[in-house]
Amino acid sequence: MAVCALVSGRARDGALFTNRWHRDELAEPPSEAFYAAAKDSIPRDLAAARGINYMRACAILAIASIQNGQIKNMQKYSGMYHTLTSLEGLHDEKLWPKNLSVIETEERRRLFWSIYTLDIYSTIVWGGVIRYREAHSLVRYPSEVDDEFITPHGYGLPPVSPESGVSPDDVTVVSRQPVAWLRGWNFTTDLYRILEYVVDGNRRRFSSANGTSQVWSLFTPASMSEPAVMERVLSMYAALPSQFKETPPTTGDMAKDLFGFQSANIQATLQLLRMVLLSAEELGVDRKCDVAGELLSVFSKVPVEYLNAISSPLLHHLGGIGYILGSVMEGSLSEASYQRVRTLLLEMADLLGRLETGLQRAAGASQRLRSQVDRIDGYMRTSRLLNLAAQNPRPQHNTIPMDTKREIPIPPTTYIPPSGPVPTVGPPPGMGEQIMQFQLPPELLSDWPWPLDGAHTEGFLPLAFE
């Protein structure tokens, strides 16, 4: 039932790759019905919920909760999963039952590392603590073997083609493709293991507020900069097979599209890593715009089908970009920096518009963002007109009767500033190369559409760029 709840939610949100299924046909029963049935199947006494199926059910319900925008339920079922894994000893293969088959062993490995990445991700986006640490985990990565070549008797099958000219004892087949798709999946896990340490470094910036003395510096070297970490990460990325660095259009053949999805997921995780790394650094306006532009460029090149497959978690990646751009708008701006961030906000609105046809939780976000930009544009137009009038006052001896004065036309989307001094927008005459700075009023900046799923967010991305 938990799997049905997640799949139904993903289908509702457009994660369909072929014409074999149609979203309308999968609308009933809704995801919520499967979710309720799965929830009712879990014993209230977790000590009685033994075995991998209960662990897996709680894990999948946590992911389904993200899909449906129920973040408190995500935390609830993640907590239940971690309670069950502690009871079962899932973090250490030596504690697993001795009679597990090869298939059961691989299932446990995939479950453990999949929810490890969810744990890191949820800590970044919604705050909280990391429950399982890499250093405490004695679980191997899933074997890079396609499912059909994992049998109760072992891994791989001998080649069956008599034309191959190779003895069955010489070669073991582990994939029908040049490389197994799990190679990309395991690389994504590598990125989350790196993120674990980056999150720790960011958290230490706030640890002094606890009133405790610092002890971590006794054991940990100074944190590395974003360029140094990304140089190493990108060298790891460059070593991947080409299948995991390309996102061709979907074909409807899942055996091939799995590689495109892994590639898209790797790109999304790389950008998340960059955002979290940069959140610990002081960035100027130009650097923030560079970063946001690069992130948007990456996502805009990925076929929308893969973005829909990543589904709701992608909204939080985009929300992180939004926080970067929002922080620029909230600071001191020049006319040039305003125009640049405005362009990036509209590019983000275009990307959200591509997703809205599928992702239910993104509905309306594109238009809300465009409306926000329109309001700011209106304020800018009004300010320019008022500043122009102030710089060129009408001579007193040419006073015109009130009833014959022509009022300055105000565009329909214009924001009317509150009473008080009007910020100077644009350089006045005689400024030369000097760039005039201005700041937008806070009431214009209180209605950004992120977090894009409407959930309350207390993770590092909103803190990072304030």
Side-chain angles (χ1 to χ4, degrees):
M1 287 295 108
V3 172
C4 292
L6 176 59
V7 171
S8 176
R10 290 283 170 94
R12 174 200 63 211
D13 289 339
L16 299 173
F17 281 80
T18 72
N19 294 327
R20 180 180 174 185
W21 298 286
H22 298 281
R23 184 159 50 173
D24 293 343
E25 297 172 356
L26 301 174
E28 295 293 337
S31 173
E32 291 76 12
F34 294 115
Y35 189 98
K39 178 183 70 173
D40 292 342
S41 71
I42 300 173
R44 290 182 178 274
D45 180 6
L46 290 182
R50 306 306 299 270
I52 189 174
N53 287 330
Y54 286 115
M55 290 188 284
R56 189 158 43 195
C58 290
I60 295 172
L61 284 175
I63 300 171
S65 297
I66 297 175
Q67 190 67 33
N68 296 329
Q70 300 168 336
I71 305 309
K72 288 186 177 180
N73 280 345
M74 181 275 294
Q75 299 285 14
K76 170 185 173 181
Y77 286 107
S78 290
M80 292 170 65
Y81 162 82
H82 285 289
T83 297
L84 293 176
T85 58
S86 295
L87 292 171
E88 296 275 348
L90 188 65
H91 64 285
D92 187 347
E93 290 194 12
K94 295 193 301 294
L95 302 177
W96 294 1
K98 305 303 181 186
N99 59 345
L100 292 179
S101 69
V102 171
I103 293 175
E104 291 169 326
T105 298
E106 290 299 323
E107 286 178 336
R108 285 173 176 254
R109 289 172 178 170
R110 294 186 189 187
L111 175 63
F112 178 84
W113 286 111
S114 180
I115 306 306
Y116 169 85
T117 64
L118 173 64
D119 195 25
I120 304 298
Y121 177 84
S122 64
T123 298
I124 293 169
V125 176
W126 296 289
V129 298
I130 298 173
R131 295 174 175 91
Y132 270 132
R133 300 283 178 163
E134 176 202 20
H136 302 169
S137 306
L138 300 174
V139 178
R140 292 179 180 272
Y141 271 9
S143 300
E144 294 177 3
V145 180
D146 285 354
D147 291 356
E148 63 182 298
F149 299 112
I150 302 176
T151 73
H153 307 293
Y155 299 96
L157 295 174
V160 296
S161 172
E163 293 83 10
S164 65
V166 180
S167 167
D169 296 330
D170 294 335
V171 176
T172 298
V173 178
V174 296
S175 175
R176 296 191 185 279
Q177 305 296 328
V179 63
W181 66 269
L182 275 159
R183 174 76 179 278
W185 195 91
N186 286 340
F187 180 79
T188 301
T189 305
D190 284 341
L191 296 179
Y192 274 99
R193 288 167 52 216
I194 295 169
L195 272 164
E196 177 190 330
Y197 292 96
V198 177
V199 169
D200 280 348
N202 283 2
R203 281 282 174 95
R204 290 181 186 123
R205 291 189 297 152
F206 307 105
S207 62
S208 58
N210 297 336
T212 56
S213 59
Q214 291 186 355
V215 297
W216 57 266
S217 57
L218 297 173
F219 307 98
T220 307
S223 59
M224 299 179 69
S225 65
E226 183 265 344
V229 174
M230 288 307 299
E231 180 181 5
R232 176 65 184 275
V233 169
L234 292 177
S235 69
M236 295 165 57
Y237 174 72
L240 282 174
S242 61
Q243 293 93 327
F244 301 113
K245 294 181 284 188
E246 303 166 350
T247 50
T250 56
T251 64
D253 181 351
M254 288 302 298
K256 296 179 180 178
D257 292 340
L258 261 176
F259 289 88
F261 173 75
Q262 295 305 319
S263 178
N265 201 29
I266 288 169
Q267 286 297 333
T269 311
L270 281 170
Q271 305 320 312
L272 179 65
L273 175 58
R274 285 198 67 197
M275 283 190 282
V276 178
L277 279 166
L278 288 167
S279 71
E281 300 187 7
E282 293 292 332
L283 301 181
V285 169
D286 288 340
R287 180 67 174 131
K288 287 182 179 181
C289 289
D290 287 343
V291 169
E294 291 163 10
L295 297 175
L296 286 171
S297 176
V298 168
F299 287 121
S300 67
K301 294 174 183 176
V302 176
V304 70
E305 292 86 357
Y306 295 126
L307 299 180
N308 283 334
I310 296 174
S311 207
S312 290
L314 178 65
L315 298 180
H316 300 287
H317 290 274
L318 298 180
I321 301 173
Y323 281 114
I324 297 174
L325 295 176
S327 72
V328 175
M329 281 294 201
E330 291 165 8
S332 294
L333 294 167
S334 66
E335 181 71 23
S337 61
Y338 164 72
Q339 291 295 338
R340 188 177 183 196
V341 74
R342 177 186 182 278
T343 298
L344 291 171
L345 286 169
L346 292 177
E347 288 180 9
M348 185 170 177
D350 289 340
L351 178 56
L352 288 170
R354 293 172 62 204
L355 296 173
E356 283 180 352
T357 56
L359 281 170
Q360 175 178 289
R361 310 210 70 77
S366 173
Q367 186 54 49
R368 294 200 308 275
L369 184 53
R370 290 184 184 281
S371 297
Q372 183 84 339
V373 173
D374 283 346
R375 291 181 64 216
I376 297 172
D377 281 348
Y379 170 82
M380 295 291 288
R381 286 192 293 269
T382 303
S383 296
R384 291 189 190 101
L385 290 171
L386 294 174
N387 287 332
L388 182 62
Q391 292 163 19
N392 299 281
R394 189 182 300 276
Q396 292 296 321
H397 61 275
N398 288 336
T399 302
I400 300 174
M402 286 294 293
D403 58 351
T404 63
K405 281 186 178 180
R406 294 182 62 191
E407 294 185 359
I408 298 174
I410 297 178
T413 58
T414 292
Y415 167 82
I416 306 298
S419 59
V422 178
T424 301
V425 176
M431 286 294 292
E433 295 298 319
Q434 183 178 352
I435 299 176
M436 179 63 69
Q437 298 285 316
F438 62 92
Q439 195 153 8
L440 297 172
E443 59 267 23
L444 268 181
L445 306 172
S446 60
D447 196 29
W448 296 116
W450 40 78
L452 295 169
D453 71 341
H456 183 58
T457 301
E458 294 180 344
F460 282 107
L461 292 182
L463 286 173
F465 301 98
E466 290 179 345

